[in-house]
Amino acid sequence: MSVCLITAPTATDFWGSDELDSEAVRSGASDPQLGILSLAAVLETRGETPQIVDLNALYLYFADTKGESDAAGFAEYAASAILASDAEVYGFSSICSSFPLTIRIAKALKAMQPQARVLLGGPQASVVDVQTLEAFPFIDFILRGEAEHTLPLLLDDLARQQAIHHMPGLTYREGTAVRRNANAPVIADLDALPSPAYHLTHYLETTHTADLELGRGCPFACTFCSTNDFFRRNFRLRSPQRVLQDMRAIAAQYGIRDFQLTHDMFTVDKRRVAAFCEAMGASADNFTWSCSARTDCVDQALLELMANSGCRGIFFGIETGSPRMQKIIDKHLDVERAKDVIDIAEKLGIGTTVAFIAGFPEETWDDVRQTIRVFMHSARHAKSDPQMNILAPLAATPIYSKHKHELVLEELCSDMSHQGRAQNAADLELIRSHMEIFPNFYLLPIPNLDRSTLFELHEFSLTATDRFRWLLSAIHQNAIEIFDFFLEWRAHRLQLEPNLVSSELRQYYRTPDFRTDFVSFARARFGTAHPSITALLDYEEVLSRQLSRNPDANEDTAASDEAWTLDDVPTLTWSTRLIELPCDIQQVIENLKSQTDAAPRSGTYFYSTRKCTKEKCRLVQISDWLAYLLRACDGTRTVADVVKQLSSDIPEVDEATLFFCAFASGVEVGAGSWCCVPHSRSGVRPRLKASSVTAERLHP
């Protein structure tokens, strides 16, 4: 029986080039969905030829070719594209954030081809199966949980027109009544599953990192999490040998040697983690990898073993910095130990993504304050990426069951639902009509917190940390806790922009206006009382002026292979800027990392921007001589003028040598170096190359 498998969309919240062209949206849209790829691989082993429709790729194409007025038509467009596969069964994966759109596409598909069989699977459909079939008659089946074993059985029964009342994990309609069969057993031997069918998609053709399943299930039972329900808390890992087999196959076919190992709780069994690391170390393949873990399931010895075997990143869900809330949500992490684990990982060169959640019904502002302290502890580590989320009531979780009669709906809720600037009206209608199917779009009661303040704290913590990581760290360490500073900033922001709410406020934090307003406020608040804060404010003001520089009209002029002439005018690329500061900004950052308060070294320090966008840049410290070159190439001087200026700025190098350099090697002002000079009056080679010292993650 022919099957078309459809991915769960993740990019469809966004519209317009300013949102869709962002690196975060494009990167997330290209992530492979391993559940679909695993099902496709199983079907291929049976001799079938499943087709996969990537709704993210389809949506990005639709958005690139249609005007904004056509945004509402994507469901019908997607349904037509899916039907082009001419399958007999259409299997939709589902996640909570895009479940309304999945439902609308399924409805449009059924209207266009009534005889099509519509099957839903995945986390969201699995936990709201009965409600979904009762509400939407165009959905024929929902196959709950892991489906590698049950999907082939279902397809066989449908092809033979046999009864399906015995099919494990199936929810279906019998007449007008919804029937729910018993759960299917979990898949005990993950090694027996075939490798994901990456070849049916384009996921790995343009990326440097491959997602690879490491295991399934979580033995813990946090009140807000739905993972344990989908896998029924049954913890399983694939063997190191099986994982290495897939790594080698991907490396051979796609040249990829870095892997994101997907599994919520890889480190629960330390012995199995150690066995995996030993196998990786013994393989001599030199693969690198990242994973997820709990901070109470790792220690220094294990982290050292992981680092030595290629681990370069770990996701830690700490959730809350409040010991009281750790108990209430059944997470039970030791907050101080969690901070120590971040420290150890940083020293070992392992990057950490540290996730926090705010907005629990029992939470107080003191609990939030404690969470922000741990958030800032993560922020002062260059390799750590703190993330703040607002709690969503996920279906079938204890926290939803407890508060389902108290939920409210507002324009923007949590990160588990809509994140774009505007939400589709048809989605909203479904959400309003079926709260029990789409609870993640609703808000939980927070009697001890002000919702608008919490929402702005979320926007501030993410955007300000992305743009002003080290400035925030300096303020938090040397002047005032960031939570208190945020409250002062919010009062000021309300005076500047009193009418911003929800999506308008979110958009404000993404504009240059926020940068300007925030730096101005911080300067007025702290003056010159704190050397490190002052140094970073100086830097931010200089960088802001540079970022506001418009691209030159001749930006597209390409350098040819022809020899330079005296009359050529060298100019800097738009993304190359020279920054001059009165102190060593790298020392300021190192002081913040080590939590010391030594005064920064004064003097003249030059930096050049690299990988620069309109919003942020990375810096590299450069030598004085390279700075003189960049400054001279201002678009007004010819090559002859540049050399004359350099002969004045660098008197130890004679003019004839500088001319020889310019014509022999060319001026590579965009690459962070100039030229190689063979001779000079002083008998030394001019140091025109960029320094190896970098201002790490000033703007990561």
Side-chain angles (χ1 to χ4, degrees), residues 330-641:
D330 284 338
K331 187 80 177 184
H332 301 294
L333 293 180
D334 182 325
V335 175
E336 293 305 312
R337 176 189 170 101
K339 291 161 64 177
D340 290 341
V341 167
I342 296 171
D343 296 342
I344 295 168
E346 185 78 10
K347 291 177 182 177
L348 293 172
I350 299 175
T352 55
T353 299
V354 186
F356 300 91
I357 299 174
F360 293 99
E362 302 86 356
E363 203 167 20
T364 67
W365 283 122
D366 186 58
D367 296 316
V368 175
R369 180 191 300 275
Q370 293 178 71
T371 295
I372 295 299
R373 286 173 184 160
V374 186
F375 180 98
M376 291 306 302
H377 182 87
S378 167
R380 73 172 178 82
H381 294 78
K383 293 182 178 298
S384 190
D385 179 22
Q387 298 181 347
M388 177 61 70
N389 303 285
I390 296 177
L391 180 66
L394 301 183
T397 59
I399 205 164
Y400 166 73
S401 299
K402 182 177 180 180
H403 297 283
K404 62 183 178 181
H405 300 300
E406 305 171 76
L407 304 182
V408 295
L409 181 64
E410 293 185 4
E411 180 193 355
L412 286 176
C413 297
S414 78
D415 293 326
M416 297 300 294
S417 59
H418 176 68
Q419 298 181 59
R421 190 175 307 146
Q423 192 161 12
N424 186 280
D427 284 353
L428 278 174
E429 181 58 34
L430 284 176
I431 292 164
R432 290 191 187 100
S433 303
H434 303 283
M435 183 274 291
E436 72 285 359
I437 299 176
F438 311 106
N440 52 287
F441 290 88
Y442 286 73
L443 293 167
L444 288 156
I446 46 173
N448 303 311
L449 306 176
D450 173 68
R451 199 176 299 283
S452 62
T453 303
L454 184 67
F455 177 79
E456 185 157 3
L457 175 64
H458 168 264
E459 298 301 313
F460 173 86
S461 61
L462 292 179
T463 310
T465 304
D466 183 49
R467 295 188 180 181
F468 312 114
R469 169 187 289 254
W470 299 114
L471 177 57
L472 290 187
S473 296
I475 293 170
H476 184 72
Q477 291 185 33
N478 301 314
I480 180 176
E481 285 196 29
I482 282 300
F483 180 76
D484 294 320
F485 180 64
F486 158 74
L487 295 178
E488 293 182 6
W489 154 253
R490 173 172 156 79
H492 176 74
R493 197 278 305 162
L494 285 169
Q495 293 179 345
L496 294 176
E497 301 283 356
N499 300 317
L500 299 180
V501 294
S502 299
S503 59
E504 295 173 343
L505 182 63
R506 175 169 283 174
Q507 179 62 17
Y508 166 75
Y509 273 96
R510 285 150 176 75
T511 64
D513 290 344
F514 166 61
R515 172 188 290 277
T516 302
D517 295 344
F518 179 80
V519 172
S520 176
F521 172 73
R523 176 72 79 181
R525 172 65 172 80
F526 299 109
T528 59
H530 304 278
S532 61
I533 297 176
T534 301
L536 288 162
L537 283 170
D538 289 343
Y539 158 74
E540 292 294 346
E541 289 172 348
V542 171
L543 184 62
S544 182
R545 289 195 295 271
Q546 295 286 4
L547 287 173
S548 65
R549 191 186 85 189
N550 292 323
D552 187 85
N554 296 321
E555 174 70 15
D556 294 332
T557 300
S560 70
D561 294 332
E562 297 179 2
W564 289 67
T565 71
L566 290 174
D567 295 328
D568 285 331
V569 180
T571 61
L572 304 183
T573 63
W574 178 81
S575 61
T576 303
R577 290 136 164 108
L578 175 65
I579 293 178
E580 180 179 341
L581 295 173
C583 70
D584 184 351
I585 202 72
Q586 184 65 45
Q587 184 207 2
V588 173
I589 294 171
E590 295 302 326
N591 289 344
L592 292 171
K593 291 178 184 177
S594 60
Q595 294 185 293
T596 59
D597 196 24
R601 290 186 292 269
S602 60
T604 302
Y605 292 82
F606 294 103
Y607 301 86
S608 175
T609 56
R610 299 182 70 182
K611 297 182 180 179
C612 198
T613 69
K614 293 182 179 180
E615 293 299 329
K616 54 188 179 182
C617 290
R618 288 183 63 90
L619 298 185
V620 59
Q621 188 176 345
I622 59 176
S623 68
D624 295 354
W625 289 1
L626 180 54
Y628 300 150
L629 171 63
L630 297 181
R631 187 163 57 192
C633 296
D634 60 0
T636 66
R637 294 181 174 94
T638 64
V639 170
D641 295 333

Side-chain angles (χ1 to χ4, degrees), residues 3-7 35-41 43 50-54 89-93 119 151:
V3 179
C4 178
L5 301 175
I6 303 103
T7 65
I36 287 285
L37 298 181
S38 182
L39 291 176
L43 295 178
Q51 299 180 67
I52 295 178
V53 172
D54 181 352
V89 175
Y90 297 90
F92 290 81
S93 183
L119 168 68
L151 178 59

Side-chain angles (χ1 to χ4, degrees), residues 663-692:
F663 286 106
S665 303
V667 182
E668 300 175 10
V669 296
S673 63
W674 187 36
C675 56
C676 180
V677 181
H679 304 289
S680 70
R681 267 194 302 236
S682 61
V684 298
R685 296 164 67 89
R687 297 172 293 103
L688 292 175
K689 291 193 174 183
S691 166
S692 61

Side-chain angles (χ1 to χ4, degrees), residues 166-227:
H166 64 285
M167 179 60 56
L170 184 67
T171 307
Y172 61 102
R173 194 176 289 103
E174 191 173 67
T176 59
V178 173
R179 305 298 184 194
R180 191 177 199 270
N181 295 342
N183 289 332
V186 298
I187 299 173
D189 184 8
L190 298 180
D191 282 0
L193 295 177
S195 302
Y198 295 107
H199 59 279
L200 295 181
T201 71
H202 301 288
Y203 290 137
L204 300 186
E205 294 174 1
T206 58
T207 184
H208 301 291
T209 300
D211 285 28
L212 192 61
E213 188 174 50
L214 184 61
R216 296 178 182 178
C218 174
F220 299 96
C222 301
T223 62
F224 58 88
C225 181
S226 59
T227 298

